[in-house]
Amino acid sequence: MSVQLHRTIQTFASSIIRKPKCSLLDKNKKLNELSKLGQTDEARKMFDKMPEKDEFTWTTMVAAYANGGRLVEARQVFEEVPIKSSITWSSLICGYCKHGFEIEGFELFWQMQSEGHMPSQFTLGSILRMCAIKGLLPRGEQIHGYAIKTCFDMNVFVLTGLIDMYAKSKRVLEAECIFQIMSHGKNHVTWTAMINSYSQNGDALRAIQCFSSMRAEGIEANQYTFPGVLSSCAALSDIGFGVQVHGCIVNGGFEANVFVQSSLIDMYSKCGDLDSAKKALELMEVNHAVSWNTMILGYVRHGFPEEALSLFKKMNASDMEVDEFTYPSVLNSLACMQDPKNGKCLHCLVVKTGYESYKLVSNALVDMYAKQGNLACAVSVFNSMVEKDVISWTSLVTGCAHNGFYEEALKLFYEMRMAEIKPDQIIIASVLSSCSELALLELGQQVHADFIKSGLGASLSVDNSLMTMYANCGCLEDAKKVFNSMQMHNVISWTALIVAYAQNGKGKESLRFYDEMIASGIEPDFITFIGLLFACSHTGLVDDGKKYFASMKKDYGIRPSPDHYACMIDLLGRAGKIQEAEKLVNEMDIEPDATVWKALLAACRVHGNTDLAEKASMALFQLEPQDAVPYVMLSNIYSAAGKWENAAKLRRKMNLKGLNKEPGYSWIEMNGVVHTFISEERSHSKSDEIYSKLDDAIALIKEAGYLPDINFSLHDINEEGRERSLSYHSEKLAIAFGLLYVPKGLPIRIYKNLRVCGDCHNAVKFVSRVFDRHIILRDSNCFHHFKEGICSCGDYW
């Protein structure tokens, strides 16, 4: 046989022998393609028909099931593998980790090693990624320890996974330490992990600095790097650097990426450049809900609800898919616009598109209806929710408080606590505001204690609400303690302090706090000036009041509102400057509203000016024909002037119109129970003891020099009857209850819905001296602190 023929036979034989191997290679390649395309069932059919299988075949089939989340089938195939390699183990472990089955994933990880197989960098990377996503810090630290022992602690893939795991676990220092010990081998993935570590944990400046260092090292960023940097620019409102990053995005060819583009829109909108944000949206090649949602949210944040609604309509008309993140922003814009009609239309669209069961959307619906004052619909949506979180409860509680339904807000808060939902700062602030409005000191103190125990971080809104609550309950020292403990103050904090001291008869201190506020660099707002003018009014500081009133527009560009004019008229009226008050009303550059005329009418009552009182009342009758207050005030002015016929005629007119005077009542809270009293009423279970105690108290204070002032008894009866009616005013009954049941040494806290009359004010001064009690009385005007026969208001209220 020739040599040439021998070689030919050898070549032919070799080709026959190798042919099956080539066939298996092709089939493995096809199997791998089906697996990567997610066509697992097709892959399984091919797998079952393969007469010969090698390690790659088995591993590919395990990986196909595992990556697709079909873990039971992946485990079944894995158990059938004749010879398991490290790659086969890793494929199964990666599947369990990818789908969040940490227990099974870790069991397989330890079992793999016990059977003599060494995990690869990809095994460790998968486990670290799961630890990062699920917040499994202790498990992640175990893997870190394993990586050090097995010399994987210098592997770039593993180190990047460790940085990401520590970052998502809010352990930035550990992430930073790992990043810094990497002397070489840092790639764009590593840098991106570190940038996102800073960005996600609130260190925007370090994120930007890290991005700059990355660029200086010559490492190019990608679509995963830019969102973290742009969010940091937004957090710092650093639009200059943001524009530079935008340039990098364009140069790198990433402007078409939807997530990068959405981050750009978010950055521009948060920095207040809505035009650039809109331009970025318009330049997008493909419309995507994420980008449009970001733009809508930007409009809402900056107070452009109409533009947000308009953009949503365009989005909906273009057949773009609206999702659960679109609706909340649009619903919020409708809440800001107070647009109930469109609100209900959007609710219908939510139901039609099947998003009513999404908690995020339902919460936004509750919030919208609550802010629009439609509590019936808000409660209806709330009750229909299968699962409620703290945001659901907060939306409804805050809505009730905002609309003046304070008792309902507190009841809901109680139900929330019974449902074991932990409150957040927003709901705590709303509940404290409700306690403040209802003057429920004991409950407010309990909520304060609950907030401290909760471990929630410091909150400016909670601190401001706490100050107001304590001030509205007459606890001025506690309000000041809260103010002093605050880490920072804003204009609301200072204003709350100014108003608190003004309401509690310390007007001069209010003015001093205003000077301190200005010195700290905080500018006043229109509410601050209401507090200042109130302080001047209740302290008789006419010149100071005029100065602050002029300063509003001159120094701060704040145009006086009817409330400011009402304060000025009250100030002038109390000081006896009735003509000047009338002149100010006539010279107002805006139309006087009911608040202004009521202030003038009150001034007439103090000084008995019936002519001007009639003029003010006539204006009020036209502005608020169904309000009984001006009728009652004018009737009382007539009665005080002895014009009984005019008073009777006016009351008959009230009856014909069906107007009812709000009854005066006082209340006192003790051991969580509110005890309410109405003049000369005996419905209280302890009324016999209360009336007996009050008779004894009046006898004692008469001995000390008290003389009933029957001018405050506005009834056309004999002198004895008028004195007797004075004796049983609601505040006197409440004080008698306090003398009986409030332990000596504790202040007696009384609240009244109307202004305390002059006779009661004088009587309480005597009671405080004769019984040696500190009595705090809050009426509709201010607080009166009675101690040793002296009132904090200086008899000027």
Side-chain angles (χ1 to χ4, degrees):
M1 183 183 294
S2 69
V3 174
Q4 184 64 37
L5 179 60
H6 179 72
R7 287 177 179 172
T8 302
I9 293 169
Q10 272 190 327
T11 303
F12 179 74
S14 298
S15 67
I16 294 173
I17 294 169
R18 283 200 302 267
K19 191 172 182 180
K21 290 288 183 184
C22 292
S23 176
L24 179 60
L25 184 66
D26 292 338
K27 287 181 179 179
N28 280 344
K29 185 178 179 182
K30 178 65 176 175
L31 187 71
N32 191 39
E33 287 175 0
L34 291 171
S35 172
K36 287 181 178 179
L37 291 170
Q39 297 177 12
T40 311
D41 291 330
E42 295 298 319
R44 181 59 194 251
K45 288 176 184 177
M46 182 178 177
F47 176 82
D48 290 337
K49 291 177 181 178
M50 292 173 69
E52 186 180 359
K53 303 177 181 72
D54 62 6
E55 178 191 330
F56 184 86
T57 314
W58 287 99
T59 301
T60 301
M61 199 64 239
V62 170
Y65 278 129
N67 288 333
R70 296 164 66 171
L71 299 174
V72 173
E73 292 157 294
R75 192 68 177 261
Q76 288 172 348
V77 175
F78 177 79
E79 296 298 340
E80 295 172 10
V81 176
I83 301 174
K84 301 176 181 68
S85 67
S86 294
I87 299 172
T88 316
W89 280 93
S90 293
S91 297
L92 186 62
I93 291 168
C94 290
Y96 276 101
C97 291
K98 179 181 178 181
H99 296 283
F101 291 91
E102 67 267 21
I103 295 172
E104 293 85 350
F106 274 98
E107 283 178 352
L108 286 167
F109 178 70
W110 302 124
Q111 186 183 343
M112 171 187 185
Q113 295 170 70
S114 68
E115 295 190 14
H117 296 282
M118 178 70 70
S120 69
Q121 60 182 5
F122 303 108
T123 319
L124 297 181
S126 295
I127 293 178
L128 286 169
R129 195 176 305 112
M130 179 183 66
C131 292
I133 292 169
K134 302 201 76 174
L136 304 174
L137 177 61
R139 292 287 199 178
E141 289 174 325
Q142 287 180 358
I143 300 301
H144 190 179
Y146 177 85
I148 293 170
K149 288 179 183 178
T150 52
C151 298
F152 274 112
D153 59 324
M154 296 308 292
N155 181 280
V156 175
F157 188 81
V158 174
L159 289 174
T160 303
L162 283 168
I163 291 170
D164 183 55
M165 185 274 296
Y166 280 120
K168 286 187 169 63
S169 300
K170 301 187 183 302
R171 299 283 284 270
V172 184
L173 288 176
E174 285 87 340
E176 191 175 52
C177 182
I178 293 168
F179 182 78
Q180 289 174 349
I181 63 173
M182 293 176 69
S183 55
H184 62 277
K186 293 175 187 171
N187 57 22
H188 66 278
V189 180
T190 316
W191 281 95
T192 297
M194 197 62 233
I195 290 166
N196 289 335
S197 171
Y198 288 130
S199 176
Q200 291 163 5
N201 288 281
D203 197 341
L205 182 60
R206 299 288 288 277
I208 288 174
Q209 290 171 345
C210 189
F211 177 75
S212 299
S213 300
M214 173 185 174
R215 298 282 296 167
E217 291 283 334
I219 307 294
E220 292 295 329
N222 65 6
Q223 67 268 31
Y224 302 106
T225 316
F226 292 118
V229 184
L230 290 168
S231 69
S232 298
C233 294
L236 295 172
S237 295
D238 190 348
I239 194 169
F241 196 85
V243 170
Q244 293 179 40
V245 175
H246 191 173
C248 294
I249 290 168
V250 173
N251 292 336
F254 293 104
E255 67 270 28
N257 183 277
V258 64
F259 294 105
V260 173
Q261 201 71 10
S262 297
S263 298
L264 267 173
I265 294 166
D266 182 61
M267 183 274 295
Y268 280 123
S269 67
K270 283 180 178 175
C271 291
D273 188 353
L274 293 175
D275 290 336
S276 295
K278 187 179 179 182
K279 187 177 179 182
L281 181 71
E282 290 170 346
L283 288 173
M284 289 186 69
E285 295 177 6
V286 179
N287 287 327
H288 196 281
V290 174
S291 306
W292 283 68
N293 289 348
T294 305
M295 190 70 235
I296 289 169
L297 183 59
Y299 279 130
V300 174
R301 277 178 182 152
H302 289 280
F304 296 99
E306 293 86 356
E307 287 79 354
L309 184 60
S310 174
L311 194 62
F312 170 74
K313 287 177 179 177
K314 288 180 184 177
M315 181 181 183
N316 198 38
S318 66
D319 293 328
M320 200 182 310
E321 187 178 351
V322 174
D323 60 22
E324 71 270 27
F325 301 105
T326 314
Y327 285 117
S329 298
V330 183
L331 288 165
N332 190 262
S333 71
L334 292 170
C336 296
M337 292 167 65
Q338 290 292 306
D339 188 347
K341 183 180 177 182
N342 275 320
K344 288 188 176 180
C345 289
L346 190 59
H347 189 175
C348 291
L349 186 61
V350 167
V351 174
K352 185 179 177 181
T353 52
Y355 283 102
E356 73 274 16
S357 60
Y358 285 73
K359 189 162 56 179
L360 197 66
V361 178
S362 293
N363 286 343
L365 278 167
V366 172
D367 183 63
M368 179 197 70
Y369 281 126
K371 284 178 178 173
Q372 290 179 350
N374 190 344
L375 290 178
C377 286
V379 171
S380 177
V381 174
F382 179 82
N383 289 337
S384 69
M385 293 176 68
V386 177
E387 184 185 353
K388 304 175 182 75
D389 60 10
V390 66
I391 299 172
S392 320
W393 288 93
T394 298
S395 298
L396 193 57
V397 170
T398 304
C400 287
H402 180 74
N403 288 284
F405 296 97
Y406 306 115
E407 290 185 23
E408 287 77 1
L410 296 178
K411 287 175 184 175
L412 281 166
F413 180 67
Y414 173 76
E415 289 176 21
M416 171 186 160
R417 300 299 280 139
M418 292 300 291
E420 297 183 351
I421 303 290
K422 292 183 179 179
D424 60 10
Q425 288 100 327
I426 299 171
I427 198 168
I428 291 290
S430 292
V431 170
L432 287 169
S433 296
S434 297
C435 293
S436 173
E437 292 295 332
L438 297 173
L440 297 176
L441 176 61
E442 291 180 22
L443 182 58
Q445 289 171 327
Q446 290 174 25
V447 175
H448 187 182
D450 194 39
F451 175 68
I452 293 169
K453 290 177 185 175
S454 70
L456 290 168
S459 164
L460 198 57
S461 62
V462 171
D463 288 337
N464 289 339
S465 296
L466 268 172
M467 279 178 59
T468 305
M469 185 274 294
Y470 280 120
N472 280 358
C473 292
C475 302
L476 202 55
E477 290 182 4
D478 290 319
K480 188 63 165 65
K481 282 179 184 176
V482 172
F483 182 84
N484 290 338
S485 69
M486 291 169 67
Q487 296 175 359
M488 63 176 292
H489 306 104
N490 61 6
V491 65
I492 298 172
S493 317
W494 284 101
T495 299
L497 191 67
I498 289 166
V499 172
Y501 273 76
Q503 285 180 334
N504 283 273
K506 296 181 180 292
K508 290 183 179 178
E509 285 88 337
S510 290
L511 306 190
R512 178 170 58 81
F513 288 132
Y514 174 74
D515 292 337
E516 289 180 18
M517 181 185 86
I518 299 302
S520 71
I522 294 176
E523 289 195 355
D525 62 12
F526 72 100
I527 299 176
T528 312
F529 282 105
I530 290 175
L532 286 171
L533 295 173
F534 182 91
C536 294
S537 175
H538 286 257
T539 321
L541 302 173
V542 178
D543 291 337
D544 286 303
K546 289 179 177 180
K547 180 185 74 174
Y548 292 125
F549 187 74
S551 172
M552 284 178 62
K553 194 169 184 180
K554 179 184 174 185
D555 298 326
Y556 300 103
I558 300 171
R559 186 185 179 190
S561 70
D563 288 331
H564 297 106
Y565 278 105
C567 287
M568 277 303 296
I569 290 159
D570 184 61
L571 168 64
L572 295 170
R574 288 173 185 274
K577 300 178 181 293
I578 299 293
Q579 285 75 27
E580 196 172 339
E582 183 183 10
K583 183 183 177 186
L584 182 62
V585 173
N586 294 332
E587 292 176 352
M588 284 175 63
D589 56 0
I590 54 175
E591 194 67 27
D593 68 359
T595 311
V596 174
W597 288 113
K598 282 178 183 176
L600 187 60
L601 187 56
C604 295
R605 176 187 54 77
V606 173
H607 299 284
N609 190 327
T610 54
D611 293 337
L612 188 54
E614 287 171 349
K615 177 184 175 182
S617 298
M618 291 304 161
L620 285 165
F621 295 158
Q622 290 182 347
L623 287 169
E624 297 181 344
Q626 297 304 310
D627 186 5
V629 172
Y631 288 91
V632 174
M633 291 178 74
L634 183 58
S635 174
N636 290 344
I637 291 170
Y638 283 144
S639 298
K643 296 183 176 182
W644 301 108
E645 188 177 332
N646 289 14
K649 183 180 177 182
L650 197 59
R651 290 186 183 275
R652 284 195 297 272
K653 189 176 181 181
M654 279 181 65
N655 292 333
L656 287 172
K657 286 180 171 286
L659 302 177
N660 295 312
K661 173 192 173 185
E662 181 185 7
Y665 59 89
S666 300
W667 69 96
I668 179 170
E669 181 192 6
M670 196 171 74
N671 299 327
V673 178
V674 176
H675 301 266
T676 306
F677 302 92
I678 297 175
S679 296
E680 301 187 69
E681 192 195 52
R682 293 177 178 267
S683 62
H684 197 279
S685 60
K686 302 288 185 183
S687 61
D688 291 342
E689 294 95 321
I690 293 167
Y691 274 82
S692 176
K693 182 66 176 178
L694 182 54
D695 290 338
D696 292 342
I698 289 174
L700 286 171
I701 63 175
K702 279 183 176 178
E703 289 178 10
Y706 163 69
L707 292 173
D709 189 347
I710 61 172
N711 288 321
F712 289 97
S713 178
L714 304 175
H715 299 284
D716 187 14
I717 53 177
N718 61 38
E719 189 171 315
E720 184 181 346
R722 292 172 74 184
E723 183 178 333
R724 187 166 56 252
S725 71
L726 281 176
S727 299
Y728 302 126
H729 276 190
S730 63
E731 53 266 57
K732 289 191 178 90
L733 292 170
I735 288 169
F737 177 88
L739 291 172
L740 281 169
Y741 298 109
V742 176
K744 200 166 177 67
L746 293 179
I748 299 172
R749 300 178 186 275
I750 310 295
Y751 305 93
K752 184 170 182 177
N753 65 324
L754 303 178
R755 184 178 182 274
V756 63
C757 79
D759 177 73
C760 287
H761 188 271
N762 189 36
V764 181
K765 286 200 295 183
F766 277 96
V767 170
S768 70
R769 179 159 59 85
V770 170
F771 289 88
D772 191 24
R773 299 300 296 263
H774 179 197
I775 300 171
I776 303 171
L777 170 61
R778 190 189 87 171
D779 66 6
S780 60
N781 247 0
C782 63
F783 275 94
H784 303 267
H785 294 258
F786 298 94
K787 213 168 186 179
E788 298 177 352
I790 299 171
C791 180
S792 59
C793 74
D795 299 336
Y796 197 88
W797 83 101

